[in-house]
Amino acid sequence: MFAFTETKPSGTGKPESVFISWLLWQPRGADLAVEALKEVRKLARYEGGDPDVARLKALFASLAGADGRLH
């Protein structure tokens, strides 16, 4: 398990690039909304202030069909 120790943006990749890569690696027939919700829950642990993490979480939440705030 990885732990984030930096509060500054990592600069290693754009959240959109990570999101697209994740989409491309999903198996055929996968329920993308369900899988995206799993990612939202994982990312909720790392929401310390990194805008890249917040943006990535928002992308997954959008795919999951979230109308409100996800925990």
Side-chain angles (χ1 to χ4, degrees):
M1 178 66 73
F2 294 101
F4 286 93
T5 57
E6 296 285 326
T7 57
K8 299 180 293 184
S10 63
T12 58
K14 294 185 178 209
E16 292 80 3
S17 296
V18 173
F19 181 72
I20 294 297
S21 294
W22 176 87
L23 278 173
L24 293 172
W25 281 99
Q26 295 307 298
R28 182 176 294 213
D31 185 336
L32 295 178
V34 170
E35 297 305 318
L37 184 57
K38 290 177 187 177
E39 297 303 319
V40 168
R41 290 179 178 148
K42 288 178 192 176
L43 289 169
R45 295 180 267 181
Y46 304 110
E47 216 178 319
D50 186 332
D52 289 343
V53 173
R55 175 70 181 141
L56 184 58
K57 183 180 173 192
L59 289 167
F60 282 118
S62 178
L63 180 60
D67 293 333
R69 183 159 190 226
L70 293 175
H71 303 292

